[in-house]
Amino acid sequence: MPFKQILDFLKKFENLRSHKKIVEDEVLEWCLKKTNLKTEDISVKVRRPYVIIAAKNMGAKTAIFTSQNSLLRFLKDRFGENAPDKLLFK
């Protein structure tokens, strides 16, 4: 197989490998818009079907908790069936 065909074949699977990171970035961006904090204050991990959100600021956790339905709806619209559907707070 020529190198170009191998490269094209591997590009098909690139989205599968990076899906978790893309979801984490989207959730982090959404959380930062809602709480007006910095990226150092909130961390997000995806362990399908869960999104684990850790924040040191209790006000940030409360803001995210009260609008979690909006976040889950956003993820469902953005990623469809592959979207996480439960939140855990740490």
Side-chain angles (χ1 to χ4, degrees):
M1 266 182 128
F3 183 71
K4 183 170 177 14
Q5 284 180 329
I6 293 172
L7 192 61
D8 291 340
F9 180 73
L10 291 175
K11 283 183 180 180
K12 290 180 183 178
F13 296 100
E14 186 174 350
N15 290 339
L16 296 176
R17 181 179 53 84
S18 62
H19 177 73
K20 184 174 82 168
K21 181 66 175 155
I22 292 170
V23 174
E24 287 175 358
D25 290 343
E26 291 286 331
V27 171
L28 182 62
E29 183 179 325
W30 187 91
C31 290
L32 293 175
K33 285 180 184 176
K34 287 290 182 181
T35 61
N36 296 323
L37 293 176
K38 299 176 185 171
T39 56
E40 300 88 36
D41 299 330
I42 296 176
S43 68
V44 175
K45 298 287 182 197
V46 173
R47 303 287 184 260
R48 191 158 163 28
Y50 299 105
V51 173
I52 303 168
I53 299 174
K56 296 177 183 175
N57 187 336
M58 193 59 181
K61 286 182 185 179
T62 303
I64 296 168
F65 179 78
T66 57
S67 58
Q68 67 181 328
N69 288 337
S70 173
L71 173 60
L72 293 174
R73 195 174 320 111
F74 167 74
L75 291 174
K76 191 66 140 177
D77 291 342
R78 180 93 165 97
F79 298 105
E81 292 296 321
N82 294 329
D85 56 357
K86 297 178 184 175
L87 294 180
L88 294 177
F89 292 94
K90 194 173 175 185

